[in-house]
Structures are given as structure tokens and as C-alpha cells.
């Protein structure tokens, strides 16, 4: 990912597991993040976050989420930390100059993270960062379907695990970024550019610094050419 580290001091790749799809009604139950920093001509690990987050007393884990992730109510009660501590740990990981924040389907994860951080006055860390959506890049590279597991298979990332556990998926996204840059050195052109399904529009609240464009599922030129970015 040398092109990214030519412009950014730090790259944080993260993922969330949640109780559902609504940023207002549902909760994050797991955070996973890997922080990398520029180190000479390359980069080096600079921190990791992997935590389960307790649910409020009036909420229970939906059975379908337990089935998908393997996370149980018992695990959340025994191992989960409270939401304020999780927010502050994430804020600390996201604090620093020249930071790029990356996720696969970043619009979804960033909306959930914003709601979590906003509860405890920790959103300042997001204002200084720039963003990269690995899903937007992958949609330009390969035909449908576009799940993370499809990207892992397409790039033959034998060490990557798409377990629907946050830190595993974050680490898989790091490997995907490496493979995509090796294939075509244009990741910087996707910074602060998010594609969305033309039929359904942008999910959740738009992020002020992001340029959104409809991204066709059929073969098309790179999204950044449609945005006039070179």
C-alpha cells in the first residue's frame, strides 16, 4: 500500500458487527480495527482494537445476528465492554495527523461509528480524517456479487478470513488493499469517493467530506473518471 503511505502518515482499517441495519435503532456489538503507520519506505503495525460491546439492558441480540457472527448474548454479557469505553478506545486509535480511514462498505460502518462516538463527544477524530471505501474500489474491478467473501475469493487471499467477526474482516480488508494496489495503482483516486447502488441511493446519512456517485453494477469506467478525478 505504498501509494497510500506516500500521502498519509497513518491508515486505520476497521470493521463493525451490529445488531441490524439501522444506525438509529441498532447497536454496534463488536469493533475491530488495525492501525498502520508510515515507516521509512513501507509501513508497520501501530495498534489494534478488538472488543465486544455490551448491549443496553432493554435490548437483546437478534437470533439471525448470533447465527451470522457466532456472537451470543452470553459472550456480550461476559466479555463486552461498555459503549463509552469502546468509543474512547476507538477515538484514541483514530487520533493523529494525515490519517486515512478504510472499511469495506465504509458508508455503513462510518454511520454506525459516528452515532457511537457522538454519544460521548468523540467525533472530532473523524473530522480530520479522509476515507477510502474498499467496496467502491472492488465494484470497479470485478462483476457482481460484491461481498467481502467474494473479494477474498477473487484475489485468492488464502490467509484472509471473512468470519463476520470485526477484527478478522478488518485484517482481510488490509490484505485486499494490498492485492488491489498490486493489480492497479489507483487507490488514491478513490479517497473520499464513495459509490452507491443507483436503485437504492446512499444508505444512512451522507458524510460531508465524501463525494458520492451512483456506481453501475454492469461494466463501467473507473468511478473516479466519472467524477473527473485523475
Amino acid at each position: 500500500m505504498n501509494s497510500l503511505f506516500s500521502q498519509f502518515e497513518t491508515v486505520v482499517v476497521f470493521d463493525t458487527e451490529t445488531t441490524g441495519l439501522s444506525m438509529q435503532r441498532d447497536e454496534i456489538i463488536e469493533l475491530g480495527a488495525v492501525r498502520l503507520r508510515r515507516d521509512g519506505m513501507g509501513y508497520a503495525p501501530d495498534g489494534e482494537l478488538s472488543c465486544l460491546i455490551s448491549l443496553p439492558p432493554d435490548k437483546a441480540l437478534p437470533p439471525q445476528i448470533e447465527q451470522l457472527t457466532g456472537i451470543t448474548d452470553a459472550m456480550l454479557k461476559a466479555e463486552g465492554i461498555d459503549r463509552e469505553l469502546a468509543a474512547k478506545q476507538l477515538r484514541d486509535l483514530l487520533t493523529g495527523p494525515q490519517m486515512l480511514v478504510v472499511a469495506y462498505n465504509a458508508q455503513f460502518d462510518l454511520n454506525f461509528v459516528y452515532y457511537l462516538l457522538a454519544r460521548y463527544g468523540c467525533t472530532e477524530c473523524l473530522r480530520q480524517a479522509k476515507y477510502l471505501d474498499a467496496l467502491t474500489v472492488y465494484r470497479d474491478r470485478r462483476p457482481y456479487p460484491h461481498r467481502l467473501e467474494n473479494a477474498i475469493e477473487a484475489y485468492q487471499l488464502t490467509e484472509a478470513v471473512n468470519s463476520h467477526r470485526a477484527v478478522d474482516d478488518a485484517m482481510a480488508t488490509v490484505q485486499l488493499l494490498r492485492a488491489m494496489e498490486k493489480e492497479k495503482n489507483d487507490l488514491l483516486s478513490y479517497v473520499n469517493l464513495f459509490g452507491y447502488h443507483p436503485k437504492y441511493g446512499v444508505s444512512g446519512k451522507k458524510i460531508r467530506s465524501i463525494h458520492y456517485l451512483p456506481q453501475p453494477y454492469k461494466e463501467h469506467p473507473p468511478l473516479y473518471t466519472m467524477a473527473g478525478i485523475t
Side-chain angles (χ1 to χ4, degrees):
M1 297 185 290
N2 288 342
S3 68
L4 298 181
F5 284 96
S6 71
Q7 298 294 319
F8 297 97
E9 182 70 29
T10 306
V11 175
V12 175
V13 184
F14 82 102
D15 185 64
T16 66
E17 298 300 333
T18 69
T19 58
L21 302 178
S22 171
M23 297 79 177
Q24 293 92 347
R25 296 189 303 273
D26 291 305
E27 301 285 345
I28 298 175
I29 54 172
E30 186 176 39
L31 276 172
V34 181
R35 176 173 164 141
L36 307 167
R37 61 173 171 78
R38 186 189 300 160
D39 184 19
M41 298 298 291
Y43 58 93
D46 190 40
E48 183 180 307
L49 174 62
S50 179
C51 64
L52 294 172
I53 303 175
S54 301
L55 285 174
D58 61 334
K59 293 191 177 181
L61 191 61
Q64 64 270 25
I65 300 300
E66 182 174 331
Q67 202 169 38
L68 178 68
T69 64
I71 298 170
T72 65
D73 270 316
M75 289 169 62
L76 294 179
K77 289 173 182 175
E79 304 171 38
I81 63 175
D82 68 66
R83 287 174 292 170
E84 183 172 7
L85 178 57
K88 290 179 177 177
Q89 288 185 356
L90 182 60
R91 175 203 62 194
D92 292 345
L93 200 73
L94 293 174
T95 298
Q98 294 180 286
M99 179 169 294
L100 179 69
V101 178
V102 186
Y104 195 89
N105 194 11
Q107 176 68 16
F108 176 86
D109 291 299
L110 286 169
N111 266 265
F112 267 95
V113 160
Y114 179 84
Y115 274 96
L116 174 67
L117 295 174
R119 288 171 177 167
Y120 307 105
C122 297
T123 57
E124 184 62 34
C125 60
L126 296 177
R127 296 192 183 102
Q128 306 304 318
K130 293 190 176 181
Y131 302 99
L132 175 64
D133 178 25
L135 171 59
T136 294
V137 183
Y138 184 65
R139 281 180 180 150
D140 272 0
R141 304 285 185 90
R142 297 290 191 277
Y144 182 86
H146 296 125
R147 295 189 182 92
L148 180 57
E149 63 196 66
N150 304 127
I152 290 170
E153 182 179 359
Y155 283 93
Q156 299 179 346
L157 305 177
T158 55
E159 296 182 5
V161 178
N162 176 216
S163 64
H164 297 288
R165 294 298 300 268
V167 75
D168 286 343
D169 289 358
M171 289 180 172
T173 302
V174 171
Q175 293 189 43
L176 177 61
L177 290 173
R178 291 172 181 156
M180 291 196 296
E181 177 163 286
K182 186 175 181 181
E183 180 182 51
K184 188 176 182 181
N185 187 13
D186 63 355
L187 294 183
L188 284 172
S189 297
Y190 290 92
V191 171
N192 280 12
L193 175 65
F194 287 9
Y196 63 87
H197 195 298
K199 181 178 179 180
Y200 301 111
V202 177
S203 64
K205 289 191 174 182
K206 287 187 176 182
I207 300 163
R208 189 177 304 170
S209 60
I210 301 300
H211 186 182
Y212 294 92
L213 280 179
Q215 191 172 26
Y217 272 41
K218 61 183 180 180
E219 189 173 349
H220 59 275
L223 196 65
Y224 54 82
T225 64
M226 300 162 69
I229 299 169
T230 57

